[in-house]
Amino acid sequence: MSGSADAAPAEEAVITIADFEYQMPESIAPGAEVTIINEDSAPHTVTAGGDGEFDVEVGAGETVSFTAPEEAGEYEVICTYHPEMSGTLVIG
């Protein structure tokens, strides 16, 4: 049987951190639950630049989740521990 038309997209919202780089999905639905997997042996953060919409710490080898912002747009992301790490999280 088919699922409800109102169901969330089938793709999982996962951000993987490996080799001090963010691996982001193309986009994430507003308000979606996002899983962050840190494959490195160092802690990292997924921190929104600018208005600080989110700031999530992920210990070495850990997996955590957070709720994506409700407002669609592109969010600059940095690691506060490793400022050379950056990426863009697309909500929408």
Side-chain angles (χ1 to χ4, degrees):
M1 296 194 149
S2 64
S4 167
D6 295 328
E11 312 87 46
E12 289 186 47
V14 176
I15 298 171
T16 302
I17 303 172
D19 299 322
F20 288 77
E21 291 184 0
Y22 295 112
Q23 297 169 8
M24 305 275 198
E26 280 189 33
S27 66
I28 293 173
E33 190 72 12
V34 181
T35 301
I36 305 168
I37 302 168
N38 182 359
E39 296 181 350
D40 286 342
S41 59
H44 295 295
T45 68
V46 176
T47 304
D51 64 4
E53 185 75 25
F54 50 87
D55 182 10
V56 184
E57 185 171 342
V58 191
E62 291 186 351
T63 299
V64 300
S65 296
F66 77 103
T67 302
E70 292 288 344
E71 187 173 331
E74 293 186 0
Y75 294 81
E76 176 191 356
V77 175
I78 63 165
C79 173
T80 57
Y81 297 129
H82 310 100
E84 69 279 7
M85 287 178 58
S86 65
T88 303
L89 182 62
V90 178
I91 306 295

